[in-house]
Amino acid sequence: EKISETPKDVKAYLEDVEIIAQSARNEVDKAEELQKILPAPRHYGIVDAGRNPAMALEIYDGIVYNGLVQYTDDKLAEYFTDEALRQLQEGVKKAKEAGWMSHDLNFAILTSDQTLNGVQYKKGDVIFFDFGAWVKTSDIPKGLVGPVSWERHLEDIKKKFDMANVIRTDREKKKEAPVAEESITEAETQPPTLLSTLRSTAIKAIVYPIIASIIGLSQFIPAISLAQE
């Protein structure tokens, strides 16, 4: 059955589409400026994704940060490093100095060496993308509350990096423990040296005759023989 739309419905639909399209155009403008400030893949512009406007990005290999995702211990330990956190904080600082802020930091940690937007990046480097929630601080009208502060947002993100540090520390301790035990075992199982053998024999050779002279030579001859052996 064919459903006919009233002119009012059509008008409302077109208005919604225009709002979405304008939002997408705004994101393109933001991306054009921010990808010059921050490490980022190339943002190509708006494309039609199932009759919905969407931002087309350069393809990259990386782990996208999401506060709700439970990453494996291996991924946390390998990618959520102190260097990645430093790059993230440095990017935020640059954006802030350029007059930008956002309540939604979208970033990824690269899982391989690659070239993005003409720049060579290494495995473990941080890149930023999806700038839809970013705003210029100068565009926020007076009296209105802007996005959540950088500091608060970074505190939430840093929790993942803290977890990664705990995992790495525990793993280092486990690596060091067997080494210490192995050293003790080796010391205990070392074959006797010539010096230690001589010392042992000398003690017996001295002690046994002394005891023998006290309790009677005839009763301690076996002990002397043992010492000589």
Side-chain angles (χ1 to χ4, degrees), residues 18-39:
E18 178 55 29
I19 291 172
I20 295 173
Q22 184 58 49
S23 176
R25 285 192 290 268
N26 290 341
E27 184 170 349
V28 171
D29 294 339
K30 295 174 185 178
E32 283 295 329
E33 184 172 346
L34 283 163
Q35 67 185 357
K36 296 175 183 176
I37 301 171
L38 299 170

PDB file of all heavy atoms in Angstrom, residues 18-39:
ATOM      1  N   GLU A  18      17.842  19.363   5.907  1.00  0.00           N
ATOM      2  CA  GLU A  18      18.675  20.557   5.829  1.00  0.00           C
ATOM      3  C   GLU A  18      19.474  20.752   7.116  1.00  0.00           C
ATOM      4  O   GLU A  18      20.648  21.141   7.083  1.00  0.00           O
ATOM      5  CB  GLU A  18      17.810  21.787   5.559  1.00  0.00           C
ATOM      6  CG  GLU A  18      18.574  23.102   5.510  1.00  0.00           C
ATOM      7  CD  GLU A  18      19.713  23.102   4.504  1.00  0.00           C
ATOM      8  OE1 GLU A  18      19.617  22.377   3.485  1.00  0.00           O
ATOM      9  OE2 GLU A  18      20.716  23.808   4.743  1.00  0.00           O
ATOM     10  N   ILE A  19      18.849  20.454   8.249  1.00  0.00           N
ATOM     11  CA  ILE A  19      19.559  20.571   9.533  1.00  0.00           C
ATOM     12  C   ILE A  19      20.738  19.600   9.573  1.00  0.00           C
ATOM     13  O   ILE A  19      21.856  19.958   9.974  1.00  0.00           O
ATOM     14  CB  ILE A  19      18.604  20.294  10.709  1.00  0.00           C
ATOM     15  CG1 ILE A  19      17.584  21.437  10.828  1.00  0.00           C
ATOM     16  CG2 ILE A  19      19.385  20.139  12.013  1.00  0.00           C
ATOM     17  CD1 ILE A  19      16.480  21.168  11.843  1.00  0.00           C
ATOM     18  N   ILE A  20      20.482  18.367   9.129  1.00  0.00           N
ATOM     19  CA  ILE A  20      21.542  17.365   9.112  1.00  0.00           C
ATOM     20  C   ILE A  20      22.643  17.773   8.145  1.00  0.00           C
ATOM     21  O   ILE A  20      23.836  17.665   8.437  1.00  0.00           O
ATOM     22  CB  ILE A  20      20.971  15.982   8.714  1.00  0.00           C
ATOM     23  CG1 ILE A  20      19.991  15.493   9.792  1.00  0.00           C
ATOM     24  CG2 ILE A  20      22.100  14.970   8.533  1.00  0.00           C
ATOM     25  CD1 ILE A  20      19.250  14.233   9.418  1.00  0.00           C
ATOM     26  N   ALA A  21      22.233  18.244   6.971  1.00  0.00           N
ATOM     27  CA  ALA A  21      23.213  18.648   5.959  1.00  0.00           C
ATOM     28  C   ALA A  21      24.063  19.816   6.448  1.00  0.00           C
ATOM     29  O   ALA A  21      25.278  19.851   6.227  1.00  0.00           O
ATOM     30  CB  ALA A  21      22.496  19.007   4.664  1.00  0.00           C
ATOM     31  N   GLN A  22      23.411  20.774   7.111  1.00  0.00           N
ATOM     32  CA  GLN A  22      24.144  21.925   7.619  1.00  0.00           C
ATOM     33  C   GLN A  22      25.132  21.514   8.700  1.00  0.00           C
ATOM     34  O   GLN A  22      26.259  22.014   8.765  1.00  0.00           O
ATOM     35  CB  GLN A  22      23.184  22.979   8.173  1.00  0.00           C
ATOM     36  CG  GLN A  22      23.852  24.272   8.636  1.00  0.00           C
ATOM     37  CD  GLN A  22      24.643  24.933   7.518  1.00  0.00           C
ATOM     38  OE1 GLN A  22      24.145  25.112   6.412  1.00  0.00           O
ATOM     39  NE2 GLN A  22      25.891  25.287   7.813  1.00  0.00           N
ATOM     40  N   SER A  23      24.704  20.575   9.525  1.00  0.00           N
ATOM     41  CA  SER A  23      25.587  20.054  10.564  1.00  0.00           C
ATOM     42  C   SER A  23      26.807  19.392   9.938  1.00  0.00           C
ATOM     43  O   SER A  23      27.943  19.557  10.417  1.00  0.00           O
ATOM     44  CB  SER A  23      24.834  19.058  11.444  1.00  0.00           C
ATOM     45  OG  SER A  23      25.691  18.470  12.385  1.00  0.00           O
ATOM     46  N   ALA A  24      26.560  18.652   8.869  1.00  0.00           N
ATOM     47  CA  ALA A  24      27.666  17.996   8.174  1.00  0.00           C
ATOM     48  C   ALA A  24      28.601  19.020   7.543  1.00  0.00           C
ATOM     49  O   ALA A  24      29.825  18.868   7.590  1.00  0.00           O
ATOM     50  CB  ALA A  24      27.118  17.049   7.112  1.00  0.00           C
ATOM     51  N   ARG A  25      28.031  20.075   6.957  1.00  0.00           N
ATOM     52  CA  ARG A  25      28.870  21.125   6.356  1.00  0.00           C
ATOM     53  C   ARG A  25      29.705  21.824   7.419  1.00  0.00           C
ATOM     54  O   ARG A  25      30.876  22.154   7.203  1.00  0.00           O
ATOM     55  CB  ARG A  25      27.984  22.134   5.615  1.00  0.00           C
ATOM     56  CG  ARG A  25      27.434  21.623   4.289  1.00  0.00           C
ATOM     57  CD  ARG A  25      26.826  22.762   3.484  1.00  0.00           C
ATOM     58  NE  ARG A  25      25.594  23.251   4.066  1.00  0.00           N
ATOM     59  CZ  ARG A  25      24.366  22.801   3.743  1.00  0.00           C
ATOM     60  NH1 ARG A  25      24.247  21.816   2.854  1.00  0.00           N
ATOM     61  NH2 ARG A  25      23.293  23.314   4.311  1.00  0.00           N
ATOM     62  N   ASN A  26      29.111  22.029   8.601  1.00  0.00           N
ATOM     63  CA  ASN A  26      29.854  22.645   9.702  1.00  0.00           C
ATOM     64  C   ASN A  26      31.034  21.764  10.121  1.00  0.00           C
ATOM     65  O   ASN A  26      32.115  22.263  10.435  1.00  0.00           O
ATOM     66  CB  ASN A  26      28.935  22.881  10.902  1.00  0.00           C
ATOM     67  CG  ASN A  26      27.920  23.980  10.643  1.00  0.00           C
ATOM     68  OD1 ASN A  26      28.103  24.804   9.743  1.00  0.00           O
ATOM     69  ND2 ASN A  26      26.843  23.983  11.410  1.00  0.00           N
ATOM     70  N   GLU A  27      30.786  20.464  10.132  1.00  0.00           N
ATOM     71  CA  GLU A  27      31.861  19.554  10.528  1.00  0.00           C
ATOM     72  C   GLU A  27      32.987  19.574   9.508  1.00  0.00           C
ATOM     73  O   GLU A  27      34.169  19.473   9.862  1.00  0.00           O
ATOM     74  CB  GLU A  27      31.324  18.124  10.688  1.00  0.00           C
ATOM     75  CG  GLU A  27      32.381  17.160  11.205  1.00  0.00           C
ATOM     76  CD  GLU A  27      31.821  15.803  11.591  1.00  0.00           C
ATOM     77  OE1 GLU A  27      30.587  15.661  11.651  1.00  0.00           O
ATOM     78  OE2 GLU A  27      32.625  14.896  11.830  1.00  0.00           O
ATOM     79  N   VAL A  28      32.638  19.708   8.236  1.00  0.00           N
ATOM     80  CA  VAL A  28      33.659  19.808   7.195  1.00  0.00           C
ATOM     81  C   VAL A  28      34.531  21.035   7.437  1.00  0.00           C
ATOM     82  O   VAL A  28      35.762  20.976   7.361  1.00  0.00           O
ATOM     83  CB  VAL A  28      33.015  19.883   5.795  1.00  0.00           C
ATOM     84  CG1 VAL A  28      34.064  20.217   4.745  1.00  0.00           C
ATOM     85  CG2 VAL A  28      32.343  18.557   5.446  1.00  0.00           C
ATOM     86  N   ASP A  29      33.883  22.152   7.744  1.00  0.00           N
ATOM     87  CA  ASP A  29      34.629  23.392   8.004  1.00  0.00           C
ATOM     88  C   ASP A  29      35.546  23.233   9.212  1.00  0.00           C
ATOM     89  O   ASP A  29      36.707  23.686   9.199  1.00  0.00           O
ATOM     90  CB  ASP A  29      33.656  24.552   8.231  1.00  0.00           C
ATOM     91  CG  ASP A  29      32.862  24.902   6.979  1.00  0.00           C
ATOM     92  OD1 ASP A  29      33.321  24.555   5.870  1.00  0.00           O
ATOM     93  OD2 ASP A  29      31.777  25.512   7.103  1.00  0.00           O
ATOM     94  N   LYS A  30      35.031  22.579  10.257  1.00  0.00           N
ATOM     95  CA  LYS A  30      35.844  22.357  11.455  1.00  0.00           C
ATOM     96  C   LYS A  30      37.028  21.452  11.142  1.00  0.00           C
ATOM     97  O   LYS A  30      38.167  21.707  11.569  1.00  0.00           O
ATOM     98  CB  LYS A  30      34.998  21.726  12.561  1.00  0.00           C
ATOM     99  CG  LYS A  30      33.885  22.602  13.095  1.00  0.00           C
ATOM    100  CD  LYS A  30      33.030  21.818  14.071  1.00  0.00           C
ATOM    101  CE  LYS A  30      31.826  22.614  14.551  1.00  0.00           C
ATOM    102  NZ  LYS A  30      30.961  21.842  15.469  1.00  0.00           N
ATOM    103  N   ALA A  31      36.746  20.401  10.386  1.00  0.00           N
ATOM    104  CA  ALA A  31      37.804  19.453  10.049  1.00  0.00           C
ATOM    105  C   ALA A  31      38.899  20.106   9.229  1.00  0.00           C
ATOM    106  O   ALA A  31      40.090  19.838   9.423  1.00  0.00           O
ATOM    107  CB  ALA A  31      37.209  18.258   9.288  1.00  0.00           C
ATOM    108  N   GLU A  32      38.503  20.978   8.306  1.00  0.00           N
ATOM    109  CA  GLU A  32      39.484  21.673   7.473  1.00  0.00           C
ATOM    110  C   GLU A  32      40.469  22.462   8.334  1.00  0.00           C
ATOM    111  O   GLU A  32      41.667  22.513   8.048  1.00  0.00           O
ATOM    112  CB  GLU A  32      38.766  22.621   6.499  1.00  0.00           C
ATOM    113  CG  GLU A  32      38.126  21.923   5.320  1.00  0.00           C
ATOM    114  CD  GLU A  32      39.141  21.269   4.398  1.00  0.00           C
ATOM    115  OE1 GLU A  32      40.268  21.792   4.291  1.00  0.00           O
ATOM    116  OE2 GLU A  32      38.819  20.223   3.809  1.00  0.00           O
ATOM    117  N   GLU A  33      39.968  23.073   9.386  1.00  0.00           N
ATOM    118  CA  GLU A  33      40.841  23.876  10.247  1.00  0.00           C
ATOM    119  C   GLU A  33      41.599  23.027  11.255  1.00  0.00           C
ATOM    120  O   GLU A  33      42.810  23.190  11.453  1.00  0.00           O
ATOM    121  CB  GLU A  33      40.024  24.941  10.989  1.00  0.00           C
ATOM    122  CG  GLU A  33      40.886  25.871  11.828  1.00  0.00           C
ATOM    123  CD  GLU A  33      40.118  27.042  12.409  1.00  0.00           C
ATOM    124  OE1 GLU A  33      38.987  27.292  11.959  1.00  0.00           O
ATOM    125  OE2 GLU A  33      40.652  27.709  13.312  1.00  0.00           O
ATOM    126  N   LEU A  34      40.882  22.078  11.884  1.00  0.00           N
ATOM    127  CA  LEU A  34      41.500  21.305  12.966  1.00  0.00           C
ATOM    128  C   LEU A  34      42.540  20.310  12.472  1.00  0.00           C
ATOM    129  O   LEU A  34      43.497  20.008  13.193  1.00  0.00           O
ATOM    130  CB  LEU A  34      40.410  20.584  13.771  1.00  0.00           C
ATOM    131  CG  LEU A  34      39.651  21.493  14.738  1.00  0.00           C
ATOM    132  CD1 LEU A  34      38.344  20.857  15.192  1.00  0.00           C
ATOM    133  CD2 LEU A  34      40.524  21.817  15.940  1.00  0.00           C
ATOM    134  N   GLN A  35      42.376  19.779  11.260  1.00  0.00           N
ATOM    135  CA  GLN A  35      43.375  18.825  10.778  1.00  0.00           C
ATOM    136  C   GLN A  35      44.684  19.509  10.403  1.00  0.00           C
ATOM    137  O   GLN A  35      45.681  18.839  10.121  1.00  0.00           O
ATOM    138  CB  GLN A  35      42.829  18.020   9.604  1.00  0.00           C
ATOM    139  CG  GLN A  35      42.567  18.803   8.339  1.00  0.00           C
ATOM    140  CD  GLN A  35      41.917  17.923   7.262  1.00  0.00           C
ATOM    141  OE1 GLN A  35      41.720  16.730   7.437  1.00  0.00           O
ATOM    142  NE2 GLN A  35      41.585  18.528   6.138  1.00  0.00           N
ATOM    143  N   LYS A  36      44.703  20.838  10.426  1.00  0.00           N
ATOM    144  CA  LYS A  36      45.947  21.593  10.260  1.00  0.00           C
ATOM    145  C   LYS A  36      46.640  21.810  11.605  1.00  0.00           C
ATOM    146  O   LYS A  36      47.831  22.089  11.661  1.00  0.00           O
ATOM    147  CB  LYS A  36      45.657  22.951   9.620  1.00  0.00           C
ATOM    148  CG  LYS A  36      45.098  22.863   8.206  1.00  0.00           C
ATOM    149  CD  LYS A  36      44.713  24.240   7.692  1.00  0.00           C
ATOM    150  CE  LYS A  36      44.077  24.175   6.309  1.00  0.00           C
ATOM    151  NZ  LYS A  36      43.612  25.517   5.846  1.00  0.00           N
ATOM    152  N   ILE A  37      45.856  21.674  12.689  1.00  0.00           N
ATOM    153  CA  ILE A  37      46.388  21.877  14.039  1.00  0.00           C
ATOM    154  C   ILE A  37      46.759  20.551  14.693  1.00  0.00           C
ATOM    155  O   ILE A  37      47.787  20.440  15.377  1.00  0.00           O
ATOM    156  CB  ILE A  37      45.347  22.605  14.917  1.00  0.00           C
ATOM    157  CG1 ILE A  37      44.978  23.952  14.305  1.00  0.00           C
ATOM    158  CG2 ILE A  37      45.854  22.783  16.344  1.00  0.00           C
ATOM    159  CD1 ILE A  37      43.807  24.627  14.994  1.00  0.00           C
ATOM    160  N   LEU A  38      45.921  19.542  14.472  1.00  0.00           N
ATOM    161  CA  LEU A  38      46.063  18.264  15.161  1.00  0.00           C
ATOM    162  C   LEU A  38      46.478  17.148  14.202  1.00  0.00           C
ATOM    163  O   LEU A  38      46.184  17.213  13.006  1.00  0.00           O
ATOM    164  CB  LEU A  38      44.732  17.874  15.809  1.00  0.00           C
ATOM    165  CG  LEU A  38      44.184  18.828  16.862  1.00  0.00           C
ATOM    166  CD1 LEU A  38      42.752  18.433  17.224  1.00  0.00           C
ATOM    167  CD2 LEU A  38      45.061  18.821  18.098  1.00  0.00           C
ATOM    168  N   PRO A  39      47.140  16.115  14.726  1.00  0.00           N
ATOM    169  CA  PRO A  39      47.403  14.934  13.896  1.00  0.00           C
ATOM    170  C   PRO A  39      46.066  14.264  13.574  1.00  0.00           C
ATOM    171  O   PRO A  39      45.290  13.932  14.472  1.00  0.00           O
ATOM    172  CB  PRO A  39      48.269  14.053  14.802  1.00  0.00           C
ATOM    173  CG  PRO A  39      47.984  14.520  16.195  1.00  0.00           C
ATOM    174  CD  PRO A  39      47.683  15.976  16.088  1.00  0.00           C
TER     175      PRO A  39
END
